[in-house]
Amino acid sequence: MVEKGRLTVRQLAALMFLCTIGEQILVFPAMITSFAHEDAWISALLGVAGGMGILSIFLVAYKLHPKLNLIENALRTFGPWIGALFSCFYLFYFLIGTSTFVREIGDFMSTQILPESPLLVVHLLFVISLVWGLICGLECIARSAELWLPLIVLFLLILTICLLPHIKLDNIQPVLAQGIAAPFRGFIAVLTYPYCELCIFMMLFPYAKKEPHLEKDILLAGLIGGLMLTLTLTICLLVMGPFMTQHHWFASFQLSLKINIGNFLQRIEAFMASVWIIAVFFKSILFFYSFILGVAHLFRLSNYRSLILPAALLILAMSILVAPDEVFYLKVIIPYWINWDLTCGIALPVLLILVHKLKSRVSKLERYNR
């Protein structure tokens, strides 16, 4: 067996929560507001409800073969040739996803925190931390997530409470001024970011201990993570307004700059940056892990650890090549990424389920005819 580690359901739920907020805790407000404007909070609430349906699809696909991850499941269901093509599509998605998250870290650090630092150096340091985490193993990653989760929730709640004196209800009025089309576009974006990207958990479900409340805890973690993003988005709208929220790519970071209570509690943007970096670390490392684990299964390797270093070098190079600058990423990549996420998060898992059901029904008919 390529992966021998085992996760508790609580650890899996902690990873689910951290991956749900992931890089979205900073970019989610601007992204959704660009689609739905002052009605973005409606899109977020609807998207969280729809996200529960997407997580249910992942759980149904997992239960087809509870002991197999996504790549093994595809090879079993589609056969060696079509299953290999199906797997390669996901592996490329995992690779580009990891590279993009590394690039987002680099763009954020080089523009907001360390403007004099070379982009490649920031990427290298982050990739080294990912490599270290993978060498420690899946169980170590999960225990770290369990440790960091309460601190991240605490930081986000402190940010929300400190901004309450600055909210203005006029910023989200009038409601549905542009009809239901704009909130619907925002709803599709919420389904994509972050819920479709949680398809990586189909690589992790088989390594969780089989407990009766696994499905409930997974859905609850996804729900709480989505509501936390919705809260952050709503606070951004109420404090900054839809125009400023839309045009600040790192809107919640800009929001933290406004905190000033009695000229004493101020400049706590470092807390917001820390929350984001930690959450992106866990999402990146799970995408990285899914990539090398999937490659190991596809090529029938006995261990994935030998792939960590070459994959890290590939990701480091791709993080520079994935976009020439931040504007290209915002204007060109994101519109197409939505379609890619919807394909990997909804279309292909549903196809996997349908083919498995069809094969099971054909097999039953053959046995009956005999």
Side-chain angles (χ1 to χ4, degrees):
M1 191 173 184
V2 177
E3 176 58 68
K4 298 180 180 179
R6 284 294 177 268
L7 308 177
T8 65
V9 173
R10 187 169 65 178
Q11 290 170 345
L12 190 65
L15 289 170
M16 175 69 73
F17 175 84
L18 291 174
C19 286
T20 302
I21 64 173
E23 86 287 5
Q24 297 298 316
I25 199 66
L26 281 192
V27 302
F28 186 82
M31 191 182 305
I32 307 306
T33 305
S34 67
F35 289 101
H37 307 291
E38 64 271 11
D39 295 323
W41 62 277
I42 300 176
S43 300
L45 287 175
L46 295 175
V48 170
M52 297 302 98
I54 293 177
L55 292 180
S56 299
I57 292 173
F58 298 157
L59 290 168
V60 171
Y62 151 68
K63 288 189 290 186
L64 299 177
H65 298 288
K67 295 183 179 181
L68 304 180
N69 61 39
L70 175 61
I71 302 302
E72 294 174 301
N73 196 344
L75 293 172
R76 174 77 64 86
T77 302
F78 293 111
W81 294 104
I82 298 178
L85 291 175
F86 185 95
S87 301
C88 287
F89 189 87
Y90 268 105
L91 293 177
F92 185 67
Y93 174 71
F94 296 151
L95 172 64
I96 298 300
T98 310
S99 305
T100 303
F101 300 145
V102 173
R103 180 56 183 264
E104 287 181 345
I105 282 284
D107 286 337
F108 174 73
M109 296 297 290
S110 60
T111 58
Q112 305 294 327
I113 306 296
L114 302 170
E116 301 299 325
S117 299
L119 183 65
L120 183 60
V121 173
V122 177
H123 288 190
L124 179 62
L125 292 174
F126 189 67
V127 170
I128 289 173
S129 68
L130 297 178
V131 170
W132 186 16
L134 288 173
I135 290 174
C136 292
L138 181 61
E139 292 183 0
C140 182
I141 295 169
R143 288 194 294 267
S144 300
E146 204 173 11
L147 177 66
W148 281 109
L149 179 62
L151 292 176
I152 289 177
V153 174
L154 179 62
F155 287 162
L156 292 176
L157 290 178
I158 290 174
L159 175 71
T160 302
I161 292 171
C162 291
L163 287 167
L164 289 179
H166 300 276
I167 65 174
K168 298 178 181 178
L169 292 177
D170 292 341
N171 286 332
I172 59 172
Q173 295 176 350
V175 178
L176 296 178
Q178 302 180 31
I180 63 173
F184 179 76
R185 291 194 297 269
F187 163 73
I188 298 298
V190 177
L191 287 185
T192 306
Y193 309 102
Y195 286 107
C196 286
E197 294 180 350
L198 297 179
C199 62
I200 55 170
F201 279 86
M202 289 189 286
M203 297 291 294
L204 299 179
F205 286 148
Y207 310 119
K209 295 179 181 178
K210 303 302 182 287
E211 299 180 17
H213 52 86
L214 185 147
E215 294 184 27
K216 182 184 70 174
D217 287 0
I218 290 301
L219 293 174
L220 185 62
L223 175 65
I224 295 174
L227 291 177
M228 190 66 72
L229 289 177
T230 301
L231 177 63
T232 304
L233 165 63
T234 305
I235 291 294
C236 285
L237 288 174
L238 289 171
V239 175
M240 299 172 62
F243 180 83
M244 295 302 295
T245 299
Q246 177 181 346
H247 290 87
H248 277 297
W249 180 234
F250 303 114
S252 54
F253 181 78
Q254 296 296 324
L255 197 65
S256 63
L257 295 172
K258 295 181 175 291
I259 295 176
N260 185 354
I261 299 180
N263 291 323
F264 174 73
L265 183 61
Q266 54 184 334
R267 299 308 301 267
I268 67 169
E269 64 272 11
F271 288 108
M272 192 66 208
S274 300
V275 167
W276 187 69
I277 291 171
I278 293 168
V280 174
F281 170 81
F282 283 104
K283 190 168 185 178
S284 302
I285 203 169
L286 290 186
F287 266 78
F288 194 169
Y289 170 79
S290 299
F291 172 65
I292 58 175
L293 181 66
V295 171
H297 280 297
L298 183 61
F299 292 97
R300 300 181 181 179
L301 303 179
S302 59
N303 198 308
Y304 67 83
R305 292 180 180 274
S306 60
L307 300 173
I308 293 177
L309 184 56
L313 296 175
L314 178 61
I315 288 168
L316 182 62
M318 290 297 296
S319 66
I320 300 296
L321 297 175
V322 71
D325 51 44
E326 188 177 344
V327 175
F328 180 88
Y329 177 78
L330 296 176
K331 299 296 184 182
V332 178
I333 293 180
I334 284 183
Y336 294 101
W337 196 282
I338 290 178
N339 297 328
W340 200 8
D341 274 352
L342 290 173
T343 301
C344 292
I346 298 178
L348 293 183
V350 170
L351 177 64
L352 185 68
I353 294 169
L354 293 176
V355 171
H356 180 272
K357 298 293 185 184
L358 180 61
K359 288 181 67 176
S360 299
R361 181 167 296 183
V362 170
S363 178
K364 289 180 180 178
L365 287 175
E366 289 178 349
R367 288 197 299 267
Y368 177 79
N369 291 332
R370 290 176 186 174

